[in-house]
Amino acid sequence: MKFNAFLAACIIVSSHGYSAQMPLKIDTNSPLLLTDSPIVFAVNTEQKALERINLNQTTSHKLPISTTSKGFHYGYIAHSKEVQAFVLDKGGVYLVTPNKTTRLVASTSLLTRLQVDDFEKVEFILDVNKDGLSDIYLPGFTRNELFVQQSDGQFVKHDFEYSLPLRSHTYNESLEISTNFTSLPIVHDFNADGFMDLVFRTRQEVAVLYGNKSGYAKEVEYVHLPTTFGKIEGNRTRTTQNLLDINQDGHLDLVTRIRPVTEGISGLEAKVEYDLYLGQAKGFNSGAIKLPHTIGAGGMRIEYDFDGDGLLDLQTLNVDIGLTTIAAMALGGGKADIDVDMHFFRQHPHTLFKSTPSTEKEVELEIDMKRSMQGMPYYTGDINGDKKHDLVFKSGGETLSIYFGTSNHLLGKERTKINRPLPKNPNDIVLVDIDQNGKEDFVFKYADKQGKVKIETLLN
C-alpha cells in the first residue's frame, strides 16, 4: 500500500505542466482575489485599479474604475456565463466590463456613501435564491436594501429593518461610532419551511430575515441563543465564532469562542475554548458540546473534508511564539520561522469529534507580522481530483510540500515536494481549478524590482 501511494504521488508531480507566463496590466502588491472559477482579479488599492484575469484563456483586461468608487465584488449577471465585476460607487452598484459601465441598481445606502482611502473588495454580492444569478445586499444602520436579480437581468428591490450593532469610542473629547458585523448573511432555510432565509450573525447575536411566498418579511427576527455573550465570569469574553451545518442535518449549528481578557504578550499563551450548539428548527439546542481548544495566536476551523466522506473535519492550529521568536522578528524585520502544530479531527456521524486528533502535523513556517497571521504559508484544496482536500505548505523559498487527503487518517504520512522558485509573499500563491478538471492548480504572482507583475501557473 505504501508503494502504491508513493507511485500515485510521483505520477501527480510528473503531470504538472507550466502554462505561458502572463504579465499583468497593473502594478499590485495585493493578493489575487479568487472567485471559485478560472476568473481572478488583481487590484491596486491605492490607485483604484482593477484587472479581470481569465486564467483558462490566459487573457486579462484592465477595468475602467472611477475615482469615486468605494469598492468592488464579483458575481454572475443574466446572459453571461462568466464572473463579472460589480463596483460600488456613489449612486449605486455598477456592472463594469472593459468597454462598458452599466448601473444595475440605484442606491444611496451606507456603503455607497463611505469615505474610503483604499479601493478593496467589499462583500455585498450573494445568491439569495440559489438560481445562479447574483443578488445585491446593501446594509444600513437600520434600513437595509436587498436587490434580487431576475432572469432578464433586472433587479427587484426589497427593504427590511435590521439594526446594525454600534459601538462608541471616545478620543480627546470626540465621539466615534463604529460597527462590526459579518456583512453578508448566510442563505439557509433556517425554519425548514421550504423558503430560503437570510441569517445574520454578529459577535453576540443571530437574527433571521424569513423568506415567504411573496418574498421576505419586513424585518428580521432575533434568535434566542442558548448562552450569554460578552464579558463572562473569570475575566473572559464569549463571542460567536461561526454558523454552519456541521453534521449535515439541514440545521445551522452555532460555534462560540471563549477567550480570557489579557494584556501584552500574555495573550500568546492564552487558552481559547470553543463550544458547539447543534441546530434545530428556528434555534439551537441548549447543551454545549466541547470542541478542541487552541492556544494564543492559533485558531480553529471546520471547513474542509480531508477524507472525502462528505462531512467537514475539524482543524486546530497552535503557534509557538515566545520571547525568542519575538526577538528574532525584531532582528529579521518582522519575519521569523515558527513551529506550528496542526491537529486534525475526523467528524464521525452522531458522535462528531473525538478529544484526540486523527492525525497531526508539526511544521516550521515563516511568518511576516507585517502581513498579519493571514500570511501563514499553507493552502488547502483538492490537488489530485479524488474529492478529498489536501494540505500544501510553503517550505522556504523554493519548496511546496503536499500532504494528500486520505480515508484512513485524514492526511497521508508521506510528503510530496514540488521544487521551484516561489513568491516571497505567501499570499501570492493560490489554488484555482484553471482547466475545470476537478484538480486545483497552482497560481503564482511575482513582482520584479521595478514593480512589474506577472503570473505563472502550474497545472495538475
Side-chain angles (χ1 to χ4, degrees):
M1 292 298 293
K2 288 185 177 180
F3 174 78
N4 291 337
F6 178 75
L7 178 61
C10 291
I11 292 174
I12 291 167
V13 174
S14 65
S15 66
H16 287 307
Y18 292 96
S19 73
Q21 296 182 3
M22 185 191 309
L24 297 189
K25 296 177 173 60
I26 67 173
D27 298 335
T28 174
N29 57 8
S30 299
L32 294 173
L33 296 168
L34 309 185
T35 67
D36 292 325
S37 81
I39 305 296
V40 299
F41 288 91
V43 60
N44 186 311
T45 60
E46 296 179 356
Q47 298 179 4
K48 290 193 175 181
L50 186 64
E51 185 170 351
R52 180 182 180 274
I53 305 161
N54 189 321
L55 294 172
N56 191 16
Q57 299 177 5
T58 62
T59 58
S60 71
H61 297 88
K62 184 178 179 181
L63 302 180
I65 304 299
S66 74
T67 57
T68 58
S69 295
K70 315 298 181 182
F72 73 98
H73 205 170
Y74 45 78
Y76 291 90
I77 195 75
H79 313 306
S80 176
K81 295 182 179 180
E82 292 188 344
V83 172
Q84 305 294 337
F86 291 66
V87 176
L88 269 172
D89 210 329
K90 59 180 182 180
V93 176
Y94 297 77
L95 173 68
V96 178
T97 62
N99 302 315
K100 188 177 181 181
T101 297
T102 305
R103 186 162 71 175
L104 298 176
V105 301
S107 176
T108 57
S109 67
L110 176 64
L111 294 185
T112 65
R113 294 183 283 113
L114 292 177
Q115 294 182 359
V116 298
D117 296 323
D118 295 324
F119 179 71
E120 298 177 322
K121 176 188 172 186
V122 179
E123 294 197 347
F124 58 92
I125 298 296
L126 72 170
D127 184 0
V128 299
N129 48 11
K130 305 294 186 180
D131 63 353
L133 298 177
S134 295
D135 309 304
I136 298 171
Y137 166 59
L138 299 178
F141 285 116
T142 56
R143 187 178 68 88
N144 297 254
E145 298 175 334
L146 177 65
F147 299 87
V148 181
Q149 186 177 172
Q150 309 300 299
S151 59
D152 60 357
Q154 299 299 308
F155 288 80
V156 174
K157 181 181 177 183
H158 176 79
D159 294 321
F160 65 95
E161 296 294 319
Y162 173 51
S163 298
L164 296 183
L166 301 179
R167 182 182 295 269
S168 65
H169 307 272
T170 302
Y171 299 102
N172 298 325
E173 299 183 354
S174 63
L175 180 65
E176 179 179 303
I177 305 295
S178 64
T179 183
N180 186 300
F181 73 110
T182 302
S183 57
L184 281 182
I186 300 169
V187 179
H188 191 85
D189 185 3
F190 192 74
N191 56 353
D193 65 350
F195 298 101
M196 285 296 174
D197 311 309
L198 301 185
V199 186
F200 298 83
R201 177 181 66 87
T202 67
R203 290 179 177 178
Q204 300 185 21
E205 294 177 328
V206 174
V208 183
L209 181 69
Y210 287 107
N212 52 46
K213 291 181 179 180
S214 59
Y216 293 92
K218 294 183 178 180
E219 61 182 9
V220 302
E221 292 185 23
Y222 288 87
V223 178
H224 173 72
L225 299 182
T227 187
T228 58
F229 290 87
K231 288 189 176 181
I232 60 176
E233 61 180 7
N235 197 28
R236 301 177 299 166
T237 59
R238 180 189 284 119
T239 60
T240 66
Q241 167 87 1
N242 208 346
L243 272 177
L244 71 167
D245 185 3
I246 292 177
N247 56 355
Q248 300 295 301
D249 65 350
H251 301 300
L252 289 180
D253 308 308
L254 174 66
V255 179
T256 67
R257 183 178 71 167
I258 301 175
R259 185 181 182 91
V261 178
T262 59
E263 295 182 1
I265 63 173
S266 60
L268 299 176
E269 299 178 351
K271 179 181 178 180
V272 182
E273 301 174 80
Y274 305 89
D275 291 330
L276 168 63
Y277 297 88
L278 292 177
Q280 57 187 10
K282 301 192 71 172
F284 307 96
N285 291 331
S286 58
I289 299 174
K290 286 292 181 182
L291 298 178
H293 70 272
T294 59
I295 301 296
M300 185 275 295
R301 62 170 60 176
I302 306 173
E303 188 174 351
Y304 302 111
D305 178 12
F306 293 101
D307 57 359
D309 64 353
L311 298 175
L312 299 178
D313 304 308
L314 187 149
Q315 172 188 352
T316 63
L317 181 149
N318 290 305
V319 183
D320 184 10
I321 300 180
L323 292 176
T324 303
T325 305
I326 294 174
M329 289 180 182
L331 295 174
K335 296 181 180 180
D337 292 331
I338 61 171
D339 294 326
V340 178
D341 291 325
M342 289 186 173
H343 293 172
F344 301 86
F345 301 79
R346 182 200 309 274
Q347 183 181 162
H348 299 272
H350 309 299
T351 58
L352 294 178
F353 307 103
K354 294 183 178 180
S355 58
T356 56
S358 303
T359 190
E360 52 189 280
K361 303 294 180 187
E362 181 177 347
V363 295
E364 186 177 80
L365 302 177
E366 181 190 76
I367 63 169
D368 186 347
M369 295 307 291
K370 294 179 181 178
R371 302 188 183 109
S372 80
M373 296 303 291
Q374 294 179 353
M376 294 196 67
Y378 73 93
Y379 321 90
T380 308
D382 185 1
I383 305 298
N384 55 358
D386 63 353
K387 309 300 182 184
K388 303 178 182 68
H389 281 96
D390 311 307
L391 203 63
V392 183
F393 297 97
K394 180 177 182 285
S395 305
E398 296 190 350
T399 303
L400 288 174
S401 300
I402 305 173
Y403 291 97
F404 291 103
T406 66
S407 300
N408 297 328
H409 303 288
L410 297 187
L411 291 171
K413 296 181 180 180
E414 301 294 334
R415 178 176 61 168
T416 301
K417 293 183 179 181
I418 298 176
N419 295 314
R420 56 164 292 138
L422 300 173
K424 293 181 180 180
N425 186 345
N427 289 326
D428 288 337
I429 303 174
V430 294
L431 299 177
V432 179
D433 186 1
I434 297 174
D435 50 4
Q436 301 291 280
N437 66 349
K439 303 176 184 179
E440 296 197 64
D441 310 299
F442 294 95
V443 182
F444 308 97
K445 181 169 74 71
Y446 300 91
D448 61 21
K449 294 181 179 179
Q450 288 72 40
K452 298 300 180 183
V453 181
K454 68 177 181 179
I455 287 177
E456 291 184 6
T457 58
L458 187 61
L459 300 180
N460 291 317

